Amino acid sequence: SHVMSEYVRMTDTERDQIDQDAQVFMRTCADAIHQLRTEAHKGVQSAQVKEHRTAVLDFIEDYLKRVCKLYSEQRAIRVKQVIDKKRL
C-alpha cells in the first residue's frame, strides 16, 4: 500500500476513456487485418507467397484475438470490483 500511495490513481472517467479507446483500437485493427487479407490475395502471385501472406495474417489475427481476450478478462475484473464496491 505504501508503494501505491506514491502514485496518483486513475479516476473512473479515465478508465472509461481508456476502455472506449481500446475498443476502438481493437476494432480498427480487426478491420485493417480484414482489409489486408482482401488485398493480399489480389493479383497474380505464386502459391508460396499466398501461403506466406495467409500465415502471417493468421498469426496477426490470432495475436489480436489473444490481446482482446486479455483485455476482456481485465475489464471483467474491473466490472466485478465496481459491483462489489457498490454492494458494500
Side-chain angles (χ1 to χ4, degrees):
S1 67
H2 174 66
V3 174
M4 290 301 290
S5 65
E6 295 178 11
Y7 298 100
V8 177
R9 294 179 185 234
M10 281 196 294
T11 65
D12 286 337
T13 305
E14 290 171 326
R15 286 185 183 100
D16 291 340
Q17 184 61 49
I18 290 171
D19 284 344
Q20 288 176 351
D21 292 346
Q23 288 175 348
V24 168
F25 183 74
M26 288 183 286
R27 200 173 309 119
T28 301
C29 288
D31 291 344
I33 291 169
H34 178 73
Q35 184 178 5
L36 278 171
R37 193 175 295 278
T38 301
E39 291 176 15
H41 297 284
K42 289 182 180 176
V44 178
Q45 305 161 10
S46 70
Q48 186 177 12
V49 170
K50 281 186 178 183
E51 260 185 66
H52 174 74
R53 289 181 180 179
T54 299
V56 169
L57 289 167
D58 288 346
F59 175 77
I60 293 170
E61 189 172 43
D62 181 61
Y63 185 80
L64 178 62
K65 285 178 183 177
R66 288 184 281 142
V67 168
C68 291
K69 181 180 179 210
L70 180 62
Y71 165 76
S72 295
E73 291 169 356
Q74 292 294 317
R75 189 162 183 220
I77 290 169
R78 179 175 165 232
V79 169
K80 184 182 180 305
Q81 289 173 343
V82 169
I83 291 170
D84 290 346
K85 189 186 286 186
K86 286 183 180 180
R87 284 185 193 166
L88 297 174

